[in-house]
Amino acid sequence: MSGNVVHLHKDTDPPNEPTPITTLTVVPDPPTAPVLPVWVRSGRAIRTAVTHETTKTTARTLARHSLYVFGGARIVGRRAWDGRTAARYERYMRTAEAAGNFEAAAEWEERGQRFREARHRRRMDLLHSPLDVAKGAAISTGMGIGALILIGVAMAAATSDVTEVVTPLMAVVRFINLMVTIVRVVWGPALTIGPVLALLALWSVGAHQKAAPQWALPPAARSGQGEPITPSIVVKALRDLGIPALRKAITEMGDAGASMLSPIVIAGCGVEVDVTLPSGVSTNEVQGKRRKLAENLSRHEHEVFITIPAAARTVRLWVADSGALDEPIGPSPLTTDDTLTADYVKDRAPWGQDLRGDAASLSLYQRHLLITGLSNQGKTVALRSLALWLALDRSVQFLIGDLKRRRLGHFDGLATTLIQGPTDEHVIQVTEMVESAVDEMNRRIQAPPGTTFAPLIVLVDEAQVAFMCPAKDDEKRPYGGSKANSRYFMAVRKIHNQGRAVNVLMWQGTQDPTNENLPKLVREGAHTRASLALGTESQARMALGDKAVDGGAAPNLLRPGLDRGTLVVASDGITIPAGQSFITVRTHYIDDDAAEAITDRAKALRDGVTTLHATERGQERDALADIAHVIGDAPRVRTKDVLARLATMAPDTYGGWSFIDLKRVLDDAGAEPYKSDGVMVVARDRVARALANRDTDGSASAS
């Protein structure tokens, strides 16, 4: 019972009872954990010590600094080999040949030949050098001794002491003896310290070049952030892509893959290199490995762009400096140059910068425009910046419909029509605005040949609201949709088909494109197609077309929020590198205050534009008051412009008006139109005077 507790219990009974019985109870000890053997406890302690982070860090540090010495020795040996042989020239010559630069290859071959000839001459000179050295030493020694004796004779003659003749010779002997003594003293420590200094020198070279395996490097160095792009890094990244044919071809190449690469050149905030792929490897295989290639190059996916140049079986890699794409670009020239003006025909709109850091400017001349992307990625700002620049050309007219965000209010007083709002009623009014542009287009088409027309920009932002509108007109024709009787869709298609020739252009901004909210015929009718960040590759194909996406365009790989304002553009109106079908542009950001200042400058260039806003449909109209409103502050306006503005203001009332209807109202009010410079015009003063003198019976109401 060792280890147990024994309790004695005595029963207490009343008096006069038998002697109580004493009972013995044994209580067992609580269970205890088993005692592990000493060797098990020691093994656990050893494992804990070995796997501790401090132990790992110490081991990596010792291994790293030891390997720096071996790596430094390898680097120094390779440098010595390159310096003593023509290997360097051979390497440069192969690189030039691989890049197709045969002139440079011939130059490197010539340099290598000159190096070999000079080396041969040096070796031949070594055969004769011992005899030449012996002769030179003998002559130099004889001349030196003779000179010392002459000096001694001069000293003896000056001092009348014959012993001075050997004084210079003895001084030289004592100096030589001193040098021997110094060498004898220093030689022992030098033999000890010399190897240590050599190891330190090799360690310094290895540490500077990070000549150690990745696992041994500190975390900051292992991350590779900011590591410069070199040919060896590019070849290694391609080799490790996981493409068997590519890996095998690089391994079998005598130059370890160097011949695949063109010279690496600086391109803006990154570098660019063309890679000629070996037989059996297709360009789309490399394109499909973009993320892995970026990680192999120690970059994020958005910092590596893969495009297809004109050369066959070649991919072009653009690799950004680490973190460079997260830095903002400079301000727009529109905000820094108050004297800047625009020319719709000859100039290009300053839109931003390409990845090389060069200015990216877009020609808007006779080009329909489509910008799409996810919500809140900078679509309206990018679209507005083009309109702001074009507004600085006083000949340009705008019809603007903003179906969601009300970010285009700065164009009030600049645009002929400005409709803002997301409701079905606003969609109806925007549709009628676009249809009025179609009527203007048809009028221009019927004009005599050679007639020139002012640019008319029909800008609809958030156009997906119009395509998805369920409202129908009195004839049951839908305003939205993409059927043959869909009013907005058909009006846009008509402008796409014929508007370019008469300078009637359709600009649309949409978000999150699908086949329903951005029909195929509409998106393919735009000459300039640009996309911000998108969600999928199928959306990228809708936005830019198959050719651009097959050529490497990938707006679906842009980072929503982080790459706000970055556009992938497919257009013949912007300078695109040869062989590519798209370009990536980081657009300038123009805030609302700057936009207000630019529109004020644009308004100052014009005589005064009366902006027509949407009104309630079906309300009774005062024709003479409406005519005065559309004339605005201009002293006189052409009758055809008055009719167009009236039709935009109230299509139900004035959509069918002709010159006869307008003339009837003006004649009745005593404000007859007249000819000025050969065209019929309506004078503001006459209409204002007619309004002031008009009877109160409403005789000028629309009929």
Side-chain angles (χ1 to χ4, degrees):
M1 294 187 302
S2 174
N4 295 330
V5 179
V6 179
H7 299 279
L8 294 176
H9 301 279
K10 184 176 181 179
D11 295 337
T12 56
D13 293 328
N16 302 322
E17 291 293 329
T19 305
I21 299 175
T22 303
T23 59
L24 182 67
T25 303
V26 178
V27 181
D29 289 342
T32 59
V35 179
L36 296 175
V38 174
W39 64 270
V40 174
R41 295 197 302 271
S42 300
R44 288 182 175 179
I46 293 173
R47 186 179 63 181
T48 301
V50 169
T51 58
H52 195 273
E53 188 61 33
T54 302
T55 306
K56 292 181 180 179
T57 303
T58 303
R60 278 199 300 264
T61 301
L62 293 175
R64 178 169 67 251
H65 291 286
S66 300
L67 292 170
Y68 278 164
V69 176
F70 293 100
R74 178 175 54 84
I75 293 171
V76 171
R78 186 171 63 246
R79 290 175 180 174
W81 176 258
D82 285 345
R84 299 290 297 174
T85 68
R88 177 183 304 171
Y89 301 97
E90 294 287 344
R91 186 165 60 250
Y92 290 161
M93 184 175 65
R94 286 196 300 268
T95 302
E97 287 177 346
N101 192 347
F102 298 106
E103 182 179 350
E107 181 180 352
W108 284 114
E109 183 179 16
E110 183 181 352
R111 290 186 181 183
Q113 186 62 32
R114 289 200 300 266
F115 171 82
R116 294 186 185 93
E117 292 175 356
R119 183 180 60 185
H120 177 72
R121 286 195 300 270
R122 289 194 301 271
R123 290 175 176 175
M124 295 303 295
D125 291 340
L126 288 176
L127 298 177
H128 306 285
S129 59
L131 183 59
D132 295 338
V133 170
K135 290 180 180 180
I139 294 173
S140 299
T141 302
M143 294 179 62
I145 294 174
L148 293 173
I149 292 175
L150 289 176
I151 294 173
V153 171
M155 293 175 60
T159 60
S160 301
D161 186 358
V162 178
T163 59
E164 294 291 339
V165 173
V166 296
T167 297
L169 287 174
M170 295 307 296
V172 172
V173 171
R174 284 193 294 272
F175 176 77
I176 294 173
N177 184 56
L178 176 63
M179 293 296 102
V180 172
T181 303
I182 293 174
V183 171
R184 187 181 301 163
V185 172
V186 175
W187 184 252
L191 289 178
T192 304
I193 299 174
V196 176
L197 294 177
L199 289 175
L200 285 175
L202 295 176
W203 175 89
S204 177
V205 173
H208 181 72
Q209 297 292 333
K210 299 291 188 295
Q214 286 291 314
W215 60 265
L217 295 176
R222 287 201 303 272
S223 67
Q225 294 299 320
E227 185 178 5
I229 300 300
T230 62
S232 60
I233 289 177
V234 175
V235 172
K236 185 176 183 299
L238 293 169
R239 186 194 65 193
D240 297 339
L241 274 183
I243 302 175
L246 181 59
R247 184 180 184 90
K248 181 180 179 181
I250 293 175
T251 303
E252 293 176 351
M253 289 181 183
D255 57 357
S259 60
M260 297 168 53
L261 308 183
S262 69
I264 298 176
V265 296
I266 296 176
C269 57
V271 297
E272 190 174 79
V273 59
D274 284 355
V275 181
T276 302
L277 300 176
S279 178
V281 182
S282 64
T283 55
N284 62 343
E285 286 183 281
V286 178
Q287 281 185 305
K289 299 279 188 176
R290 176 180 172 183
R291 173 173 292 182
K292 190 169 186 179
L293 178 61
E295 292 172 351
N296 291 348
L297 293 170
S298 301
R299 295 295 190 272
H300 296 293
E301 184 178 11
H302 72 277
E303 294 176 327
V304 174
F305 288 83
I306 306 173
T307 57
I308 309 299
R313 212 172 69 243
T314 302
V315 294
R316 178 168 295 161
L317 307 181
W318 185 87
V319 185
D321 298 335
S322 184
L325 294 183
D326 296 327
E327 298 294 328
I329 65 174
S332 169
L334 293 174
T335 62
T336 58
D337 186 359
D338 292 341
T339 63
L340 184 67
T341 58
D343 188 320
Y344 161 75
V345 177
K346 299 178 181 178
D347 292 344
R348 292 171 176 253
W351 211 8
Q353 293 180 359
D354 62 16
L355 296 180
R356 291 172 169 266
D358 299 329
S361 55
L362 178 68
S363 173
L364 303 174
Y365 177 64
Q366 293 188 344
R367 289 179 175 87
H368 302 302
L369 174 67
L370 172 65
I371 300 179
T372 188
L374 298 178
S375 178
N376 197 31
Q377 297 304 307
K379 167 180 53 63
T380 300
V381 173
L383 188 63
R384 183 178 67 179
S385 65
L386 296 177
L388 288 172
W389 175 81
L390 196 56
L392 296 176
D393 183 341
R394 60 178 300 170
S395 66
V396 178
Q397 303 172 9
F398 291 95
L399 301 177
I400 297 178
D402 184 359
L403 291 175
K404 189 175 181 181
R405 294 187 176 275
R406 304 180 68 86
R407 295 290 299 274
L408 300 174
H410 313 292
F411 287 85
D412 193 356
L414 189 60
T416 305
T417 301
L418 177 60
I419 300 171
Q420 299 182 96
T423 67
D424 289 349
E425 182 65 27
H426 291 98
V427 172
I428 293 172
Q429 294 162 358
V430 167
T431 301
E432 291 171 345
M433 177 190 76
V434 178
E435 289 175 340
S436 71
V438 174
D439 294 338
E440 172 64 14
M441 175 190 73
N442 292 332
R443 186 192 66 80
R444 294 184 178 190
I445 292 174
Q446 295 170 6
T451 306
T452 58
F453 303 101
L456 176 61
I457 307 299
V458 185
L459 191 159
V460 179
D461 193 20
E462 307 296 346
Q464 77 279 354
V465 178
F467 286 113
M468 300 299 291
C469 178
K472 296 183 179 181
D473 63 11
D474 296 336
E475 299 177 2
K476 303 302 181 182
R477 293 185 302 165
Y479 287 93
S482 57
K483 297 181 179 179
N485 63 341
S486 299
R487 291 182 59 178
Y488 180 80
F489 169 76
M490 290 306 299
V492 172
R493 286 292 300 139
K494 289 175 182 178
I495 294 178
H496 278 175
N497 289 338
Q498 296 179 303
R500 174 179 175 272
V502 290
N503 286 332
V504 177
L505 303 178
M506 192 74 208
W507 291 8
Q508 294 184 97
T510 69
Q511 71 178 36
D512 202 10
T514 65
N515 284 322
E516 288 73 28
N517 65 24
L518 187 59
K520 177 181 175 65
L521 292 177
V522 170
R523 59 181 185 253
E524 291 186 351
H527 303 98
T528 296
R529 300 166 72 173
S531 175
L532 296 134
L534 288 173
T536 64
E537 181 180 324
S538 62
Q539 287 184 318
R541 292 184 180 275
M542 292 181 191
L544 300 175
D546 292 336
K547 180 179 180 181
V549 175
D550 291 339
N556 52 300
L557 296 182
L558 294 175
R559 302 166 298 168
L562 297 177
D563 290 327
R564 184 180 289 112
T566 299
L567 284 165
V568 182
V569 184
S571 172
D572 61 350
I574 194 169
T575 302
I576 296 178
Q580 293 183 206
S581 56
F582 72 95
I583 188 171
T584 302
V585 177
R586 304 173 68 196
T587 58
H588 295 296
Y589 176 72
I590 301 177
D591 59 27
D592 292 344
D593 293 338
E596 186 71 33
I598 296 169
T599 52
D600 289 343
R601 287 160 43 198
K603 293 171 187 177
L605 297 175
R606 291 164 169 80
D607 294 332
V609 175
T610 301
T611 298
L612 304 181
H613 300 277
T615 58
E616 293 298 327
R617 299 161 57 85
Q619 71 181 58
E620 185 178 355
R621 310 298 311 183
D622 184 337
L624 190 60
D626 287 344
I627 293 171
H629 177 70
V630 299
I631 291 175
D633 297 330
R636 55 183 176 272
V637 179
R638 291 186 297 179
T639 53
K640 68 179 186 63
D641 292 337
V642 173
L643 287 170
R645 295 178 185 182
L646 288 172
T648 302
M649 171 186 282
D652 291 344
T653 303
Y654 303 117
W657 268 35
S658 64
F659 173 74
I660 296 175
D661 298 314
L662 176 63
K663 186 175 185 302
R664 173 179 55 80
V665 172
L666 293 174
D667 288 345
D668 292 344
E672 300 84 355
Y674 63 96
K675 275 194 175 183
S676 175
D677 296 330
V679 295
M680 295 298 293
V681 298
V682 180
R684 179 191 61 190
D685 294 340
R686 292 188 181 186
V687 175
R689 186 166 54 251
L691 278 173
N693 298 332
R694 187 176 60 179
D695 295 334
T696 59
D697 58 0
S699 60
S701 296
S703 58

PDB file of all heavy atoms in Angstrom, residues 29-51:
ATOM      1  N   ASP A  29      -3.658   6.839  -4.642  1.00  0.00           N
ATOM      2  CA  ASP A  29      -3.105   8.120  -5.106  1.00  0.00           C
ATOM      3  C   ASP A  29      -3.692   8.478  -6.470  1.00  0.00           C
ATOM      4  O   ASP A  29      -4.056   7.604  -7.260  1.00  0.00           O
ATOM      5  CB  ASP A  29      -1.582   8.033  -5.234  1.00  0.00           C
ATOM      6  CG  ASP A  29      -0.910   7.961  -3.876  1.00  0.00           C
ATOM      7  OD1 ASP A  29      -1.589   8.322  -2.895  1.00  0.00           O
ATOM      8  OD2 ASP A  29       0.255   7.521  -3.821  1.00  0.00           O
ATOM      9  N   PRO A  30      -3.818   9.799  -6.726  1.00  0.00           N
ATOM     10  CA  PRO A  30      -4.259  10.189  -8.076  1.00  0.00           C
ATOM     11  C   PRO A  30      -3.248   9.752  -9.117  1.00  0.00           C
ATOM     12  O   PRO A  30      -2.040   9.671  -8.839  1.00  0.00           O
ATOM     13  CB  PRO A  30      -4.339  11.721  -7.986  1.00  0.00           C
ATOM     14  CG  PRO A  30      -3.430  12.072  -6.884  1.00  0.00           C
ATOM     15  CD  PRO A  30      -3.487  10.946  -5.889  1.00  0.00           C
ATOM     16  N   PRO A  31      -3.709   9.485 -10.340  1.00  0.00           N
ATOM     17  CA  PRO A  31      -2.770   9.019 -11.398  1.00  0.00           C
ATOM     18  C   PRO A  31      -1.755  10.102 -11.740  1.00  0.00           C
ATOM     19  O   PRO A  31      -2.064  11.284 -11.739  1.00  0.00           O
ATOM     20  CB  PRO A  31      -3.696   8.729 -12.591  1.00  0.00           C
ATOM     21  CG  PRO A  31      -4.922   9.546 -12.323  1.00  0.00           C
ATOM     22  CD  PRO A  31      -5.082   9.600 -10.829  1.00  0.00           C
ATOM     23  N   THR A  32      -0.553   9.728 -12.022  1.00  0.00           N
ATOM     24  CA  THR A  32       0.519  10.656 -12.406  1.00  0.00           C
ATOM     25  C   THR A  32       0.996  10.317 -13.801  1.00  0.00           C
ATOM     26  O   THR A  32       0.851   9.182 -14.266  1.00  0.00           O
ATOM     27  CB  THR A  32       1.698  10.581 -11.429  1.00  0.00           C
ATOM     28  OG1 THR A  32       2.193   9.235 -11.420  1.00  0.00           O
ATOM     29  CG2 THR A  32       1.247  10.986 -10.022  1.00  0.00           C
ATOM     30  N   ALA A  33       1.569  11.367 -14.507  1.00  0.00           N
ATOM     31  CA  ALA A  33       2.079  11.161 -15.861  1.00  0.00           C
ATOM     32  C   ALA A  33       3.262  10.222 -15.830  1.00  0.00           C
ATOM     33  O   ALA A  33       4.087  10.275 -14.901  1.00  0.00           O
ATOM     34  CB  ALA A  33       2.483  12.496 -16.464  1.00  0.00           C
ATOM     35  N   PRO A  34       3.377   9.421 -16.894  1.00  0.00           N
ATOM     36  CA  PRO A  34       4.527   8.500 -16.913  1.00  0.00           C
ATOM     37  C   PRO A  34       5.834   9.267 -17.087  1.00  0.00           C
ATOM     38  O   PRO A  34       5.895  10.287 -17.756  1.00  0.00           O
ATOM     39  CB  PRO A  34       4.236   7.620 -18.136  1.00  0.00           C
ATOM     40  CG  PRO A  34       3.328   8.443 -18.995  1.00  0.00           C
ATOM     41  CD  PRO A  34       2.496   9.237 -18.046  1.00  0.00           C
ATOM     42  N   VAL A  35       6.849   8.782 -16.494  1.00  0.00           N
ATOM     43  CA  VAL A  35       8.167   9.417 -16.572  1.00  0.00           C
ATOM     44  C   VAL A  35       8.861   8.928 -17.832  1.00  0.00           C
ATOM     45  O   VAL A  35       9.052   7.723 -18.020  1.00  0.00           O
ATOM     46  CB  VAL A  35       9.017   9.096 -15.328  1.00  0.00           C
ATOM     47  CG1 VAL A  35      10.384   9.752 -15.449  1.00  0.00           C
ATOM     48  CG2 VAL A  35       8.295   9.561 -14.077  1.00  0.00           C
ATOM     49  N   LEU A  36       9.205   9.914 -18.754  1.00  0.00           N
ATOM     50  CA  LEU A  36       9.855   9.556 -20.012  1.00  0.00           C
ATOM     51  C   LEU A  36      11.324   9.253 -19.778  1.00  0.00           C
ATOM     52  O   LEU A  36      11.959   9.840 -18.900  1.00  0.00           O
ATOM     53  CB  LEU A  36       9.717  10.690 -21.023  1.00  0.00           C
ATOM     54  CG  LEU A  36       8.285  11.010 -21.462  1.00  0.00           C
ATOM     55  CD1 LEU A  36       8.298  12.228 -22.378  1.00  0.00           C
ATOM     56  CD2 LEU A  36       7.657   9.834 -22.174  1.00  0.00           C
ATOM     57  N   PRO A  37      11.849   8.394 -20.626  1.00  0.00           N
ATOM     58  CA  PRO A  37      13.296   8.128 -20.499  1.00  0.00           C
ATOM     59  C   PRO A  37      14.109   9.386 -20.769  1.00  0.00           C
ATOM     60  O   PRO A  37      13.667  10.304 -21.456  1.00  0.00           O
ATOM     61  CB  PRO A  37      13.528   7.059 -21.588  1.00  0.00           C
ATOM     62  CG  PRO A  37      12.192   6.472 -21.866  1.00  0.00           C
ATOM     63  CD  PRO A  37      11.194   7.547 -21.606  1.00  0.00           C
ATOM     64  N   VAL A  38      15.337   9.371 -20.263  1.00  0.00           N
ATOM     65  CA  VAL A  38      16.209  10.538 -20.427  1.00  0.00           C
ATOM     66  C   VAL A  38      16.517  10.782 -21.885  1.00  0.00           C
ATOM     67  O   VAL A  38      16.538  11.921 -22.359  1.00  0.00           O
ATOM     68  CB  VAL A  38      17.510  10.344 -19.609  1.00  0.00           C
ATOM     69  CG1 VAL A  38      18.479  11.484 -19.880  1.00  0.00           C
ATOM     70  CG2 VAL A  38      17.196  10.230 -18.135  1.00  0.00           C
ATOM     71  N   TRP A  39      16.717   9.710 -22.657  1.00  0.00           N
ATOM     72  CA  TRP A  39      17.103   9.906 -24.060  1.00  0.00           C
ATOM     73  C   TRP A  39      15.975  10.531 -24.881  1.00  0.00           C
ATOM     74  O   TRP A  39      16.220  11.261 -25.834  1.00  0.00           O
ATOM     75  CB  TRP A  39      17.553   8.580 -24.682  1.00  0.00           C
ATOM     76  CG  TRP A  39      16.477   7.540 -24.771  1.00  0.00           C
ATOM     77  CD1 TRP A  39      16.143   6.594 -23.849  1.00  0.00           C
ATOM     78  CD2 TRP A  39      15.575   7.355 -25.870  1.00  0.00           C
ATOM     79  NE1 TRP A  39      15.098   5.826 -24.269  1.00  0.00           N
ATOM     80  CE2 TRP A  39      14.731   6.254 -25.523  1.00  0.00           C
ATOM     81  CE3 TRP A  39      15.402   7.982 -27.098  1.00  0.00           C
ATOM     82  CZ2 TRP A  39      13.724   5.795 -26.373  1.00  0.00           C
ATOM     83  CZ3 TRP A  39      14.417   7.517 -27.938  1.00  0.00           C
ATOM     84  CH2 TRP A  39      13.584   6.448 -27.592  1.00  0.00           C
ATOM     85  N   VAL A  40      14.693  10.274 -24.506  1.00  0.00           N
ATOM     86  CA  VAL A  40      13.571  10.893 -25.217  1.00  0.00           C
ATOM     87  C   VAL A  40      13.535  12.382 -24.931  1.00  0.00           C
ATOM     88  O   VAL A  40      13.353  13.216 -25.826  1.00  0.00           O
ATOM     89  CB  VAL A  40      12.249  10.229 -24.825  1.00  0.00           C
ATOM     90  CG1 VAL A  40      11.065  10.970 -25.450  1.00  0.00           C
ATOM     91  CG2 VAL A  40      12.235   8.762 -25.259  1.00  0.00           C
ATOM     92  N   ARG A  41      13.681  12.744 -23.643  1.00  0.00           N
ATOM     93  CA  ARG A  41      13.678  14.160 -23.289  1.00  0.00           C
ATOM     94  C   ARG A  41      14.839  14.899 -23.960  1.00  0.00           C
ATOM     95  O   ARG A  41      14.705  16.025 -24.430  1.00  0.00           O
ATOM     96  CB  ARG A  41      13.749  14.324 -21.770  1.00  0.00           C
ATOM     97  CG  ARG A  41      12.530  13.772 -21.046  1.00  0.00           C
ATOM     98  CD  ARG A  41      12.435  14.319 -19.627  1.00  0.00           C
ATOM     99  NE  ARG A  41      13.617  14.026 -18.837  1.00  0.00           N
ATOM    100  CZ  ARG A  41      13.779  12.917 -18.101  1.00  0.00           C
ATOM    101  NH1 ARG A  41      12.807  12.006 -18.072  1.00  0.00           N
ATOM    102  NH2 ARG A  41      14.868  12.726 -17.409  1.00  0.00           N
ATOM    103  N   SER A  42      15.973  14.300 -24.043  1.00  0.00           N
ATOM    104  CA  SER A  42      17.140  14.923 -24.687  1.00  0.00           C
ATOM    105  C   SER A  42      16.903  15.106 -26.185  1.00  0.00           C
ATOM    106  O   SER A  42      17.260  16.129 -26.775  1.00  0.00           O
ATOM    107  CB  SER A  42      18.391  14.064 -24.452  1.00  0.00           C
ATOM    108  OG  SER A  42      18.653  13.928 -23.072  1.00  0.00           O
ATOM    109  N   GLY A  43      16.253  14.107 -26.807  1.00  0.00           N
ATOM    110  CA  GLY A  43      15.976  14.220 -28.239  1.00  0.00           C
ATOM    111  C   GLY A  43      15.031  15.359 -28.555  1.00  0.00           C
ATOM    112  O   GLY A  43      15.223  16.103 -29.530  1.00  0.00           O
ATOM    113  N   ARG A  44      14.017  15.524 -27.704  1.00  0.00           N
ATOM    114  CA  ARG A  44      13.091  16.633 -27.915  1.00  0.00           C
ATOM    115  C   ARG A  44      13.791  17.974 -27.740  1.00  0.00           C
ATOM    116  O   ARG A  44      13.545  18.926 -28.496  1.00  0.00           O
ATOM    117  CB  ARG A  44      11.918  16.521 -26.947  1.00  0.00           C
ATOM    118  CG  ARG A  44      10.956  15.388 -27.277  1.00  0.00           C
ATOM    119  CD  ARG A  44       9.794  15.368 -26.303  1.00  0.00           C
ATOM    120  NE  ARG A  44       8.818  14.349 -26.690  1.00  0.00           N
ATOM    121  CZ  ARG A  44       7.709  14.095 -25.998  1.00  0.00           C
ATOM    122  NH1 ARG A  44       7.436  14.791 -24.891  1.00  0.00           N
ATOM    123  NH2 ARG A  44       6.862  13.162 -26.407  1.00  0.00           N
ATOM    124  N   ALA A  45      14.640  18.053 -26.749  1.00  0.00           N
ATOM    125  CA  ALA A  45      15.363  19.308 -26.525  1.00  0.00           C
ATOM    126  C   ALA A  45      16.281  19.622 -27.695  1.00  0.00           C
ATOM    127  O   ALA A  45      16.390  20.776 -28.140  1.00  0.00           O
ATOM    128  CB  ALA A  45      16.173  19.213 -25.221  1.00  0.00           C
ATOM    129  N   ILE A  46      16.928  18.574 -28.224  1.00  0.00           N
ATOM    130  CA  ILE A  46      17.824  18.789 -29.366  1.00  0.00           C
ATOM    131  C   ILE A  46      17.022  19.241 -30.584  1.00  0.00           C
ATOM    132  O   ILE A  46      17.412  20.168 -31.312  1.00  0.00           O
ATOM    133  CB  ILE A  46      18.614  17.506 -29.662  1.00  0.00           C
ATOM    134  CG1 ILE A  46      19.590  17.206 -28.511  1.00  0.00           C
ATOM    135  CG2 ILE A  46      19.362  17.628 -30.993  1.00  0.00           C
ATOM    136  CD1 ILE A  46      20.281  15.865 -28.642  1.00  0.00           C
ATOM    137  N   ARG A  47      15.874  18.579 -30.810  1.00  0.00           N
ATOM    138  CA  ARG A  47      15.053  18.966 -31.964  1.00  0.00           C
ATOM    139  C   ARG A  47      14.555  20.402 -31.834  1.00  0.00           C
ATOM    140  O   ARG A  47      14.549  21.166 -32.793  1.00  0.00           O
ATOM    141  CB  ARG A  47      13.864  18.017 -32.093  1.00  0.00           C
ATOM    142  CG  ARG A  47      13.033  18.266 -33.354  1.00  0.00           C
ATOM    143  CD  ARG A  47      11.887  17.311 -33.467  1.00  0.00           C
ATOM    144  NE  ARG A  47      10.953  17.491 -32.359  1.00  0.00           N
ATOM    145  CZ  ARG A  47       9.840  16.755 -32.197  1.00  0.00           C
ATOM    146  NH1 ARG A  47       9.560  15.786 -33.061  1.00  0.00           N
ATOM    147  NH2 ARG A  47       9.036  16.979 -31.174  1.00  0.00           N
ATOM    148  N   THR A  48      14.154  20.793 -30.639  1.00  0.00           N
ATOM    149  CA  THR A  48      13.705  22.173 -30.421  1.00  0.00           C
ATOM    150  C   THR A  48      14.835  23.157 -30.683  1.00  0.00           C
ATOM    151  O   THR A  48      14.646  24.201 -31.313  1.00  0.00           O
ATOM    152  CB  THR A  48      13.188  22.338 -28.982  1.00  0.00           C
ATOM    153  OG1 THR A  48      12.118  21.421 -28.770  1.00  0.00           O
ATOM    154  CG2 THR A  48      12.704  23.766 -28.746  1.00  0.00           C
ATOM    155  N   ALA A  49      16.020  22.801 -30.212  1.00  0.00           N
ATOM    156  CA  ALA A  49      17.167  23.704 -30.411  1.00  0.00           C
ATOM    157  C   ALA A  49      17.535  23.807 -31.883  1.00  0.00           C
ATOM    158  O   ALA A  49      17.850  24.890 -32.390  1.00  0.00           O
ATOM    159  CB  ALA A  49      18.360  23.221 -29.592  1.00  0.00           C
ATOM    160  N   VAL A  50      17.475  22.657 -32.597  1.00  0.00           N
ATOM    161  CA  VAL A  50      17.876  22.661 -34.005  1.00  0.00           C
ATOM    162  C   VAL A  50      16.869  23.420 -34.860  1.00  0.00           C
ATOM    163  O   VAL A  50      17.236  24.151 -35.787  1.00  0.00           O
ATOM    164  CB  VAL A  50      18.042  21.207 -34.508  1.00  0.00           C
ATOM    165  CG1 VAL A  50      18.193  21.174 -36.022  1.00  0.00           C
ATOM    166  CG2 VAL A  50      19.239  20.561 -33.837  1.00  0.00           C
ATOM    167  N   THR A  51      15.584  23.265 -34.559  1.00  0.00           N
ATOM    168  CA  THR A  51      14.550  23.907 -35.381  1.00  0.00           C
ATOM    169  C   THR A  51      14.219  25.318 -34.938  1.00  0.00           C
ATOM    170  O   THR A  51      13.361  25.961 -35.543  1.00  0.00           O
ATOM    171  CB  THR A  51      13.271  23.055 -35.351  1.00  0.00           C
ATOM    172  OG1 THR A  51      12.837  22.921 -33.987  1.00  0.00           O
ATOM    173  CG2 THR A  51      13.520  21.686 -35.952  1.00  0.00           C
TER     174      THR A  51
END
